[in-house]
Amino acid sequence: RLIWKKKFKYWKRPIHLISPSNWLSNCASSSKLMSKWPISVIHNPIDTKIWRPISKKISRELLNLPCEANLLLFGAVGGTLDFRKGFDLLEKTLKLTPKDNNIELVVFGQSKPKNPPIFPYPVHYLGHVNDDLTLRAVYSAADLFILPSRQDNLPNTGLESLSCGTPVLAFNTGGLSDIVEHKYNGYLADPFDVYDFSKGVEWLLSQTSPQRKNVSKNARNYAVLNFDKRTISSQYIKLYKTLLKEIQ
């Protein structure tokens, strides 16, 4: 509270803020400290030349994953312990998803625990992934990347998955709506509604092979258009030039 009071007293000159998501921009705009400050939304960048698709068949062979199954991917780096990451929502979702869809779950970022959660489907624990090439193969091997977060800004895993051509399932909350365009490059479920989240899984799995390829293509194109480092750097340069003109 003391620090906040000092900020309120001394922060009299507006600072032009840059937010990586529309959600965080709205949070700043509604705050008492920054409500009158100018703010721009410029997403975090990724290198889409590094994060690009690998053949699904080759990826699965490299990772020793089943070639014919529908693979759902979850990144568990802190995700199983952090309430905001929504691991409990993932568990509930998978229990609601019909068992006749040949689903298998792939978890990266965590080795198999001594007392693993009980899922209705086979689970493959890939452990910690320490290099980009292997992680590219992990994203590329999956049919759908699942982001069940309750609160997230603009998670890199979502950007990387799209850039590798793998659609994303997420709740329409936080910065996730900046990543997923509903039924275009993934599925945005009503916040924390596990029934709707389960429908997102079923939506993708009900797609024909050509439809899935189209969604995958959309995912890749969306990432290149919105998050590529060249696009983001040009947005920064444009903003800097505008601000320089204002002070000259």
Side-chain angles (χ1 to χ4, degrees), residues 23-24 50 69 82 105 111 138 144 151 154 207 216 229 243:
W23 165 70
L24 202 58
I50 292 177
D82 190 338
L105 180 65
S111 299
V138 173
L144 181 66
Q151 186 182 66
L154 196 80
Q207 304 290 300
S216 178
K229 64 179 184 178
L243 297 179

Side-chain angles (χ1 to χ4, degrees), residues 47-198:
D47 190 334
T48 58
K49 288 186 177 180
I50 292 177
W51 301 104
R52 63 184 191 275
I54 300 174
S55 160
K56 195 173 296 294
K57 182 176 183 297
I58 293 174
S59 297
R60 293 188 179 195
E61 289 175 352
L62 287 172
L63 298 167
N64 197 28
L65 294 171
C67 289
E68 301 303 324
N70 289 309
L71 298 184
L72 308 182
L73 180 65
F74 175 72
V77 183
T80 58
L81 302 176
D82 190 338
F83 179 76
R84 294 172 299 176
K85 298 297 183 181
F87 182 72
D88 58 313
L89 299 175
L90 172 64
E91 290 184 286
K92 293 174 183 177
T93 295
L94 293 183
K95 290 176 182 178
L96 292 170
T97 307
K99 295 182 181 181
D100 58 355
N101 284 320
N102 192 25
I103 291 174
E104 299 194 18
L105 180 65
V106 179
V107 179
F108 72 91
Q110 176 181 313
S111 299
K112 185 176 182 179
K114 291 183 180 179
N115 298 303
I118 298 175
F119 288 106
Y121 311 104
V123 182
H124 307 269
Y125 289 92
L126 301 182
H128 291 278
V129 180
N130 298 312
D131 65 278
D132 292 346
L133 181 58
T134 302
L135 191 50
R136 270 180 61 202
V138 173
Y139 288 125
S140 299
D143 293 289
L144 181 66
F145 180 58
I146 299 181
L147 263 172
S149 299
R150 286 184 170 88
Q151 186 182 66
D152 231 328
N153 180 23
L154 196 80
N156 269 13
T157 51
L159 308 187
E160 292 162 0
S161 178
L162 291 182
S163 193
C164 290
T166 300
V168 174
L169 168 62
F171 290 111
N172 189 8
T173 186
L176 296 169
S177 57
D178 287 12
I179 295 176
V180 181
E181 189 170 322
H182 188 54
K183 291 188 175 180
Y184 175 74
N185 62 354
Y187 191 98
L188 271 183
D190 292 334
F192 325 129
D193 182 343
V194 293
Y195 291 95
D196 194 21
F197 211 62
S198 176

